[in-house]
Amino acid sequence: MTDTANLFLEVDNLKTYFFLHEGTVKAVDGVSFNLYKGRSLGVIGESGCGKSVTAHSILRLVPSPPGREVDGKILLHLHEGSNGSSTEEIVDTLKLERNGPKMRSIRGKEIGMIFQEPMTSFSPVHTIGSQIMENLLLHTPGISKKEARDRTIEMLQRVGIARAHQQVDAYPHQFSGGMRQRAMIAMALICGPSMLIGDEPTTALDVTIQAQILDLINDLQAELNMALMYISHDLAVVGEMSDEIIVMYLGLVMEHASTDEIFDNPLHPYTLALWRSIPTIEGKLERLTPISGTLPSPFAHIPGCPFFSRCERRIPGTCDAALPPLKEVAPGHWVRCVLY
Amino acid sequence: MLVYIIRRILMLIPILILMSMVAFFLIELPPGDWVSTRITQLEMSGVQVSADEAARLIAQYGLDKPMPVRYWRWVEGIVMRGNWGFSMQWNKPVNEILAERVPMTIVISLSALLLSWIVAIPIGIYSATHQYSFLDYVFTILGFIGVATPGFLLALILAWVLFAKFGFSMLGLYSREYLEAPWSFAKFLDLLKHIWLPLILVGMGNTAGTIRVVRNNLLDELNKQYVIAARSKGLSEWKLLLKYPVRLAINPLLSTVSFILPGLVSGSVLIDIVLSLQTTGPVLLRATLAQDMYLAGSIVLILSALTVVGALLGDLLLIVVDPRIRFGRAEK
Amino acid sequence: MSSQTPIAIPQTPEAPPETIIEPGKAATDERYYYASQWQLIRWRFSRHKAAVVSIVLLVILYILAIFAEFFSPYTPDTRFEGYQSAPPTPIHWIKPNGGGFGPYVFDTVRELDKETFKYIYQPDETKVLPIHFFVHAEPYKLLGLIRTDIHLFGVKEGRVLLFGSDRLARDVFTRTLFGARISLSIGLVGVFISFVLGVLLGGISGYFGGVVDDVIQRVIDFLLAIPGLPLWMTLSAALPRDWPTLKLYFAITVILSILGWTGLARVVRGKMLALREEDYTLAARGAGASAWRIITRHLLPGFTSHLIVSITFNIPGMILSETALSFIGVGIQPPAVSWGTLLQDAQNLTAVAQQTWLMIPALFVIGTVLLFNFVGDGLRDAADPYAR
């Protein structure tokens, strides 16, 4: 796991807060992880747990105001030149100007991103091709329009769009959801980035198409040797996509382990509850247990464990007194719970 | 798509027919028939009208025929010969009176519309990107007042202020020396000197409305995922803003042309009257006061027809700029 | 509800409704659960300060108009011979030579300027004319019923011309108050006619659908495409000039309503289409309720608040149209007074340049229109907190 040559991203104690009228929302409150080229990290949690904000923080896409990355480091290990032998540059994106030239040179070129809603990820009044090509034209100095167009058609073919030389001039509304998501992948990958962030890229798709898209992402990750950060609330998908999983709840990492470990030996009551809330094929036909209660108000100040109010194994007086630390209970397996 | 355009153009025909009927109804509305009024008018100016002459006039204007026939003759005259009738008040054919004034009305209405967009779009963009800033509040309040303030009263007030403070008469479109002069560059410059006030006044309401529309649309668009997706490509903020959300936020302006134009034309008629411009407005007023119905009816018809044609052009333009409509609606 | 929103602010899926009404505060306030729709609207409206102030000012304006005889010192036709186009009489408070405190005016004397041959009005500071309240002056019938001669204020001798006088030496203040009657009421009457037409035709259109709907929609399209003012001008010009004021008033109101109902009909139809598929409408139909009963009992209450908002925004348009028509001389005809006819005097720029006070009615028109817009804005926010 300490493969320094392939280390691409170090997130250290990231805190992203939203300062709203009604109060401060600690959307991400101290998240740390490393990500390597060729490996993948799954981030899982309910809506509003901070998984998307984490991803947006890496690319500095958090709308500001009201959002701000108040603390932490996001270090990118960038390599000049095409082969890994050249010089390495370490950039802290949190130190960069939010929409400044250096940050913009990272977006799209070093890190590509796929979004959840294929229906709204493209501007409806520009052709698919022109929107993909734009990425290439921005990051490739001296490329001609013709060349960019050819590369775009090639890329569309690679992501499985039939008749790409015609579809390059199509408008988004002429594409189905699955096709748009393929085009979105083409747009994110056309500059050959070192890392791909998928922010629930298959949530809005049919199950069969979902599987195709997941395969496509897996293939391309291997082919381009990318680091992959995959965000979802769907356990099955995350399990399939990632080598390593982070479980988030209200801006905090609750459990962090390799995919095998976390599926075989889930420890945190929240993780267990998540596992119980999904149906399994081999499992007995038992009732699915939803997680009791609702998420606390995002404005609430919770001194102890944020999961306390919904936890089945809570210890009053202990759990709600102080926030438990993230402990490494087995090699590479971290849990934030007083039980371990 | 061609089918859609042709259908839209064909749909104009019944509307225009209906409008011509309304206009003809207006012409026939006042008590007393046209020819007897004309004869009285001629006799008052000392021209003796013989019984034969009277009968000839009655036959010429078809007053001995039933109303549908009279309507048909009137429409036929307009469509086949471009003959809009005869104005008693001016003692001239309607065509001659309107020849210069209708184009001026078009120029004023269209320029006011364009000017209001040119002013409103940047302000709307600023307000949306600087939401709740001081200037945003200022523009919101100004916009609110602009929507509510009647243009013709403001015209009255401004004309008075300019006259009282600077001794500067804003009335009319030309200075006295160019009034009857043929078109020349100097006359054009003189026109520019006068036309800005009516343009601002006619466009004011629409400017304020457009600021609101652009601001609200852009605020909606700015939160859409395609904006963030485009930003994640590394596009600079200005390029991003202008290329994607702004384009989508101002597209709908074209579709609002169809309900902005009638109000704009109404407002311009009033403002033109207050500022006594050389357009159709003041002529219409004098015609209605004198019950010169051929002239009044013609102006009502021309203004209405221009409005629907303008609205159609707006819709067609929207088809050109918005592929969703180009491909979507056309297929239905 | 998942994290596709770019901001991804954590949010509780079942946000209780009162957090929308009253963010931050009153999250536990139970009264919101039990409040009726109208109470909610009233609460929300009362938070819109500009709208509340506006509605108070509008009520005051309407009271001034209804009791114009009482609030004005004279009648609209009272002429002060020798005081044509006199400027407003300034009101003073501290009387000279220790005479105490209280409103008073100086008498005005007129002199002929020998160079310009214009009359100039000078206060005669030796003659202090105190303003009296509840004075007996010209008799009138309050509300057309009660015979009385009490006016709110007046002077025993001399004149008090708050807004000056016009070229026929009539008090502009008095005339403005009387003009408010026609100007302010025509908005209400016109909107009432539009409302009846709009709800009726919009309701029919939305409830029955089909061919009826198509026909009514095409008529609306057609009417919306016509520039209103030229049509109104021509129509009202065709009205006989010798009609009595009341008849002319109603004719003009009807003319203005010809185009005015279309907007309301659109609102009614749209809401009707949405509501008629609701379960409770189907249930009522299943129970054998008549179309009329379903429309009036089940559908109309569902969007009364939206209707009120539309109406509020329509009133200023009506007022403006009347003002415009009367102003250019094809609307209400003198001797009847409306703000529009008063403004006819302001058409002559040279006159206004010297007699600024002739513009005062214009301020009343603009003010009234703004007030109605503020109220409409407040009502819209109150009736539908989700609409921007």
Side-chain angles (χ1 to χ4, degrees):
Chain A
M1 268 203 158
T2 47
D3 171 12
T4 40
N6 277 323
L7 180 64
F8 179 70
L9 169 71
E10 285 178 81
V11 174
D12 182 24
N13 193 30
L14 172 68
K15 291 185 179 179
T16 304
Y17 294 177
F18 287 83
F19 300 93
L20 305 172
H21 256 322
E22 297 88 337
T24 302
V25 177
K26 298 179 174 179
V28 177
D29 202 13
V31 167
S32 307
F33 58 86
N34 290 354
L35 191 52
Y36 301 85
K37 282 187 191 167
R39 293 186 59 83
S40 52
L41 172 80
V43 183
I44 196 160
E46 285 172 277
S47 305
C49 70
K51 49 194 197 301
S52 284
V53 178
T54 307
H56 283 103
S57 297
I58 294 170
L59 279 177
R60 305 296 307 279
L61 292 173
V62 172
S64 171
R68 191 147 50 83
E69 298 87 351
V70 292
D71 197 9
K73 283 195 194 102
I74 296 175
L75 300 180
L76 295 179
H77 296 250
L78 306 177
H79 295 270
E80 283 300 313
S82 50
N83 47 1
S85 61
S86 58
T87 51
E88 188 189 66
E89 183 195 6
I90 299 177
V91 179
D92 185 350
T93 65
L94 292 188
K95 295 233 162 61
L96 298 177
E97 194 192 330
R98 191 172 293 279
N99 293 317
K102 180 70 185 167
M103 196 61 240
R104 294 204 309 266
S105 75
I106 292 169
R107 291 175 183 163
K109 180 155 194 290
E110 297 293 339
I111 305 176
M113 187 156 177
I114 322 169
F115 297 86
Q116 176 177 7
E117 286 287 326
M119 293 300 160
T120 57
S121 301
F122 285 99
S123 154
V125 297
H126 297 87
T127 61
I128 295 269
S130 75
Q131 295 184 62
I132 297 175
M133 222 182 297
E134 186 175 42
N135 201 351
L136 202 57
L137 293 169
L138 278 170
H139 299 296
T140 325
I143 191 171
S144 72
K145 281 232 163 142
K146 169 89 180 59
E147 214 176 316
R149 189 183 157 88
D150 291 344
R151 290 264 304 274
T152 303
I153 294 172
E154 231 171 83
M155 195 67 211
L156 283 173
Q157 273 163 349
R158 177 62 195 88
V159 296
I161 296 216
R163 294 184 294 118
H165 57 284
Q166 284 170 23
Q167 300 288 27
V168 70
D169 294 321
Y171 286 95
H173 64 265
Q174 296 167 306
F175 271 30
S176 68
M179 280 163 82
R180 273 190 232 190
Q181 209 57 310
R182 286 173 192 274
M184 187 76 221
I185 294 170
M187 184 157 93
L189 298 185
I190 192 146
C191 290
S194 308
M195 176 178 171
L196 175 66
I197 300 175
D199 187 0
E200 307 225 22
T202 59
T203 307
L205 301 175
D206 290 344
V207 184
T208 46
I209 296 170
Q210 190 172 343
Q212 294 171 11
I213 298 287
L214 291 178
D215 284 346
L216 178 65
I217 294 175
N218 267 335
D219 290 353
L220 287 165
Q221 189 209 354
E223 191 179 314
L224 299 168
N225 191 33
M226 287 185 298
L228 175 67
M229 178 175 171
Y230 196 92
I231 296 168
S232 180
H233 62 266
D234 187 332
L235 287 166
V237 169
V238 171
E240 190 182 327
M241 295 303 287
S242 24
D243 306 316
E244 204 179 324
I245 287 179
I246 285 179
V247 179
M248 283 185 74
Y249 188 79
L250 279 187
L252 291 167
V253 174
M254 294 315 228
E255 191 160 2
H256 181 178
S258 73
T259 303
D260 293 341
E261 172 77 7
I262 214 164
F263 269 84
D264 296 341
N265 184 24
L267 294 177
H268 197 280
Y270 178 59
T271 315
L272 290 164
L274 276 179
W275 263 229
R276 272 200 309 276
S277 67
I278 55 160
T280 50
I281 293 170
E282 61 269 24
K284 285 172 290 180
L285 262 180
E286 56 187 338
R287 230 169 218 283
L288 292 175
T289 346
I291 303 177
S292 65
T294 52
L295 278 167
S297 157
F299 303 110
H301 174 72
I302 302 163
C305 174
F307 191 57
F308 177 77
S309 60
R310 300 166 74 185
C311 183
E312 287 179 350
R313 299 173 64 187
R314 64 180 162 221
I315 309 167
T318 305
C319 292
D320 53 351
L323 180 67
L326 196 61
K327 266 191 295 196
E328 189 167 12
V329 292
H333 193 160
W334 285 271
V335 182
R336 190 189 292 279
C337 185
V338 294
L339 295 169
Y340 305 100
Chain B
M1 185 175 57
L2 203 64
V3 178
Y4 172 74
I5 294 176
I6 291 170
R7 231 188 56 200
R8 282 298 313 264
I9 293 172
L10 287 180
M11 264 159 60
L12 264 190
I13 293 171
I15 292 179
L16 288 177
I17 291 175
L18 214 57
M19 278 177 174
S20 69
M21 285 177 173
V22 170
F24 188 71
F25 168 76
L26 292 175
I27 291 172
E28 296 257 320
L29 198 58
D33 68 80
W34 192 86
V35 168
S36 46
T37 324
R38 172 83 178 140
I39 289 169
T40 328
Q41 192 196 25
L42 283 174
E43 279 173 350
M44 268 163 57
S45 58
V47 182
Q48 277 304 314
V49 182
S50 64
D52 282 359
E53 181 72 8
R56 197 189 61 79
L57 276 174
I58 286 173
Q60 184 190 335
Y61 286 95
L63 289 178
D64 47 347
K65 303 269 174 16
M67 190 155 142
V69 178
R70 294 202 299 272
Y71 168 72
W72 178 246
R73 291 173 66 121
W74 179 69
V75 170
E76 195 196 16
I78 294 171
V79 177
M80 305 306 288
R81 294 183 299 276
N83 171 13
W84 290 84
F86 189 84
S87 160
M88 271 183 293
Q89 188 199 5
W90 295 63
N91 208 3
K92 268 189 201 171
V94 170
N95 300 34
E96 269 179 45
I97 304 163
L98 297 182
E100 267 206 24
R101 288 176 178 258
V102 169
M104 222 51 220
T105 295
I106 298 176
V107 165
I108 288 192
S109 303
L110 277 188
S111 322
L113 183 67
L114 291 179
L115 182 75
S116 69
W117 281 346
I118 291 169
V119 174
I121 291 172
I123 294 179
I125 294 173
Y126 179 88
S127 273
T129 49
H130 298 74
Q131 203 189 357
Y132 305 132
S133 67
F134 172 72
L135 274 180
D136 178 31
Y137 279 116
V138 171
F139 288 135
T140 306
I141 291 168
L142 281 182
F144 191 86
I145 294 171
V147 166
T149 310
F152 77 101
L153 287 182
L154 199 66
L156 197 62
I157 293 172
L158 276 182
W160 158 63
V161 169
L162 287 173
F163 183 76
K165 297 275 176 262
F166 308 105
F168 178 54
S169 169
M170 276 314 293
L171 302 187
L173 280 174
Y174 315 101
S175 305
R176 196 163 295 151
E177 60 266 34
Y178 291 108
L179 215 49
E180 298 295 324
W183 276 103
S184 64
F185 187 65
K187 185 174 179 176
F188 177 71
L189 283 182
D190 184 59
L191 175 67
L192 286 186
K193 245 188 260 170
H194 288 81
I195 208 171
W196 59 272
L197 183 67
L199 288 190
I200 290 173
L201 290 167
V202 173
M204 180 185 64
N206 189 47
T207 309
T210 308
I211 292 176
R212 271 200 214 185
V213 172
V214 171
R215 180 179 182 274
N216 288 351
N217 283 353
L218 190 55
L219 282 175
D220 279 350
E221 294 296 332
L222 282 177
N223 282 324
K224 294 214 171 134
Q225 197 164 271
Y226 72 84
V227 176
I228 302 171
R231 190 173 288 138
S232 79
K233 285 191 274 189
L235 213 56
S236 74
E237 284 301 290
W238 262 107
K239 245 177 123 177
L240 171 85
L241 187 71
L242 293 180
K243 184 165 177 190
Y244 296 108
V246 166
R247 164 117 188 246
L248 277 135
I250 63 178
N251 264 357
L253 290 183
L254 284 175
S255 65
T256 59
V257 169
S258 54
F259 54 85
I260 286 171
L261 267 188
L264 205 70
V265 170
S266 285
S268 119
V269 165
L270 257 181
I271 289 165
D272 294 359
I273 290 172
V274 174
L275 300 177
S276 25
L277 304 187
Q278 285 78 9
T279 63
T280 47
V283 180
L284 176 63
L285 176 63
R286 269 190 281 166
T288 53
L289 288 175
Q291 297 209 338
D292 184 358
M293 292 324 260
Y294 270 110
L295 187 51
S298 303
I299 294 177
V300 170
L301 179 55
I302 291 172
L303 290 181
S304 309
L306 285 176
T307 308
V308 281
V309 171
L312 176 72
L313 289 180
D315 281 1
L316 294 184
L317 214 56
L318 186 66
I319 295 177
V320 174
V321 299
D322 199 323
R324 283 171 298 181
I325 296 169
R326 202 184 315 156
F327 293 100
R329 203 194 286 170
E331 282 151 19
K332 275 182 201 160
Chain C
M1 190 171 283
S2 53
S3 57
Q4 86 274 24
T5 47
I7 310 178
I9 301 159
Q11 44 195 281
T12 38
E14 293 95 26
E18 71 269 27
T19 55
I20 293 154
I21 302 157
E22 191 89 299
K25 188 199 154 202
T28 54
D29 201 340
E30 289 224 328
R31 63 191 181 126
Y32 282 105
Y33 282 120
Y34 304 109
S36 75
Q37 188 197 359
W38 296 108
Q39 271 171 320
L40 287 174
I41 289 176
R42 223 170 36 238
W43 286 336
R44 285 190 294 236
F45 182 77
S46 62
R47 287 218 315 273
H48 200 298
K49 293 285 176 298
V52 175
V53 172
S54 302
I55 213 165
V56 170
L57 289 176
L58 278 178
V59 169
I60 292 174
L61 264 179
Y62 273 89
I63 290 175
L64 285 177
I66 293 170
F67 302 105
E69 290 97 342
F70 170 71
F71 288 108
S72 55
Y74 307 108
T75 74
D77 303 316
T78 312
R79 294 186 186 202
F80 299 94
E81 284 312 324
Y83 286 89
Q84 288 90 349
S85 306
T89 331
I91 295 185
H92 305 274
W93 292 88
I94 298 164
K95 290 176 184 161
N97 312 322
F101 182 79
Y104 68 92
V105 297
F106 290 118
D107 198 12
T108 319
V109 287
R110 185 171 72 159
E111 288 163 19
L112 187 66
D113 188 319
K114 297 283 187 316
E115 282 175 26
T116 59
F117 290 98
K118 278 178 186 149
Y119 287 111
I120 42 176
Y121 295 88
Q122 296 284 1
D124 176 1
E125 303 213 349
T126 58
K127 273 172 117 181
V128 171
L129 309 172
I131 291 177
H132 297 276
F133 289 96
F134 302 104
V135 289
H136 295 275
E138 304 194 47
Y140 61 93
K141 273 182 170 176
L142 195 66
L143 294 172
L145 297 170
I146 309 154
R147 190 173 286 282
T148 175
D149 62 353
I150 296 176
H151 294 251
L152 178 66
F153 69 96
V155 284
K156 295 259 164 71
E157 48 174 328
R159 301 138 294 276
V160 53
L161 303 168
L162 285 184
F163 294 171
S165 69
D166 64 9
R167 69 195 151 81
L168 294 177
R170 295 170 300 195
D171 179 24
V172 175
F173 175 74
T174 302
R175 290 172 67 76
T176 305
L177 288 195
F178 277 84
R181 282 194 169 164
I182 286 182
S183 294
L184 290 178
S185 68
I186 216 157
L188 297 187
V189 177
V191 162
F192 177 75
I193 299 175
S194 306
F195 172 78
V196 172
L197 278 172
V199 169
L200 203 68
L201 291 167
I204 290 172
S205 190
Y207 186 81
F208 292 103
V211 182
V212 183
D213 183 30
D214 275 349
V215 171
I216 294 178
Q217 286 312 303
R218 292 294 83 73
V219 171
I220 292 178
D221 281 345
F222 174 69
L223 290 177
L224 281 177
I226 298 182
L229 194 88
L231 183 70
W232 293 329
M233 277 167 69
T234 322
L235 277 175
S236 43
L239 299 173
R241 293 300 148 82
D242 47 2
W243 274 11
T245 303
L246 197 65
K247 207 168 165 187
L248 205 59
Y249 172 92
F250 278 110
I252 285 170
T253 320
V254 169
I255 287 174
L256 292 181
S257 309
I258 289 175
L259 298 183
W261 62 275
T262 49
L264 275 168
R266 277 270 156 94
V267 175
V268 174
R269 173 179 176 270
K271 292 284 164 189
M272 208 72 131
L273 284 177
L275 290 178
R276 70 171 184 177
E277 300 306 325
E278 295 277 340
D279 288 343
Y280 66 86
T281 318
L282 297 177
R285 200 174 301 153
S290 69
W292 176 251
R293 191 182 159 79
I294 290 176
I295 291 179
T296 54
R297 272 306 176 83
H298 297 281
L299 295 181
L300 276 185
F303 53 90
T304 317
S305 56
H306 292 268
L307 275 184
I308 292 174
V309 174
S310 298
I311 288 171
T312 317
F313 279 118
N314 267 348
I315 295 174
M318 287 277 176
I319 294 177
L320 270 183
S321 304
E322 183 276 325
T323 308
L325 289 180
S326 304
F327 168 70
I328 58 179
V330 293
I332 301 289
Q333 299 297 324
V337 260
S338 78
W339 287 342
T341 59
L342 289 180
L343 283 173
Q344 285 182 355
D345 289 343
Q347 264 177 345
N348 183 342
L349 275 189
T350 5
V352 192
Q354 279 154 14
Q355 298 143 37
T356 322
W357 53 93
L358 292 179
M359 289 295 253
I360 290 173
L363 299 182
F364 274 79
V365 178
I366 295 175
T368 307
V369 171
L370 273 173
L371 293 178
F372 268 111
N373 273 291
F374 276 122
V375 172
D377 236 37
L379 282 175
R380 182 175 52 199
D381 292 350
D384 189 358
Y386 306 105
R388 235 202 293 256

